[in-house]
Amino acid sequence: MAKVSIGLRGWRFDEDAVFDEDGTLRRLTEMPADDRERILRLTALVGEPCDACYIEHGDAEIEQCDVGAIVYGEPMGEVLLCDAHEGDFLYWFREEGGEELAGTRELANAFQAWFDEGNRAPAGYGGLDHVEEAPDQLPAFDPHEIQGLEDDLQEMDDTEREALDVDLSDLDLDVDL
């Protein structure tokens, strides 16, 4: 069972649970709840600015922010980071008590508060080496498949969407929710 990262590094998915035999994204109702929640959340995160960059630059200079490439934490409590700020997060997580919040939605707020107070990783504190294992064996994910998720949500009635048990309020999908 392969684990794959879609769109952003950090979250992993069970390939068989997310993709069907021909490598296309499964319907939302066919995915396990945790994978479904992460996939839907990714649609809101792809293309968004790094949390740390945003703290540094804000809306006034948002064009200075790098696009987030790495996600840590739980959906709706995740930290979205660019490569340059991953080391800050890892330092906070490993050395400043962030690990105590692993698996909670408070993780993001706690890291952001620490970073906003001017805290940073010491010079030379590195991030992780992200290694792709057998990338040629992974399905070729087409970001346009996100439209299929929108179609799934559009076809569902309110009861079916509620049965997904996923917070859809933060998604920028063309669906009447």
Side-chain angles (χ1 to χ4, degrees):
M1 168 177 7
K3 298 284 184 181
V4 331
S5 177
I6 301 173
L8 300 167
R9 294 188 311 264
W11 283 344
R12 300 284 184 241
F13 303 92
D14 175 355
E15 177 183 350
D16 295 330
V18 174
F19 296 101
D20 62 21
E21 306 77 44
D22 65 358
T24 57
L25 221 61
R26 291 187 179 278
R27 292 184 47 92
L28 291 170
T29 55
E30 297 172 3
M31 293 180 195
D34 285 348
D35 291 328
R36 176 176 52 236
E37 183 176 24
R38 282 174 166 69
I39 290 288
L40 286 170
R41 185 66 187 139
L42 278 179
T43 65
L45 297 175
V46 171
E48 290 296 311
C50 162
D51 290 349
C53 287
Y54 187 79
I55 290 168
E56 290 178 334
H57 302 288
D59 279 331
E61 296 178 347
I62 198 157
E63 68 280 351
Q64 299 296 315
C65 296
D66 290 327
V67 172
I70 306 151
V71 62
Y72 288 104
E74 296 301 313
M76 303 303 290
E78 70 279 328
V79 177
L80 182 60
L81 301 161
C82 64
D83 290 322
H85 286 114
E86 182 182 26
D88 293 317
F89 174 80
L90 292 173
Y91 177 80
W92 169 81
F93 187 82
R94 296 172 179 158
E95 313 295 335
E96 297 290 325
E99 189 171 10
E100 295 172 13
L101 297 172
T104 71
R105 291 188 173 182
E106 290 78 31
L107 180 98
N109 289 338
F111 169 72
Q112 292 162 357
W114 177 85
F115 191 87
D116 194 33
E117 291 169 1
N119 297 298
R120 302 294 186 272
Y125 193 90
L128 293 175
D129 288 331
H130 297 276
V131 178
E132 288 189 35
E133 259 183 55
D136 54 323
Q137 295 177 10
L138 298 176
F141 177 71
D142 178 359
H144 294 99
E145 286 188 52
I146 297 298
Q147 180 61 46
L149 298 177
E150 287 189 31
D151 294 343
D152 274 357
L153 290 170
Q154 191 73 297
E155 292 171 9
M156 294 177 187
D157 62 28
D158 290 341
T159 306
E160 291 172 309
R161 281 194 289 267
E162 287 174 16
L164 291 176
D165 194 30
V166 175
D167 182 358
L168 301 171
S169 63
D170 197 36
L171 298 182
D172 186 19
L173 301 174
D174 187 22
V175 176
D176 296 326
L177 299 176

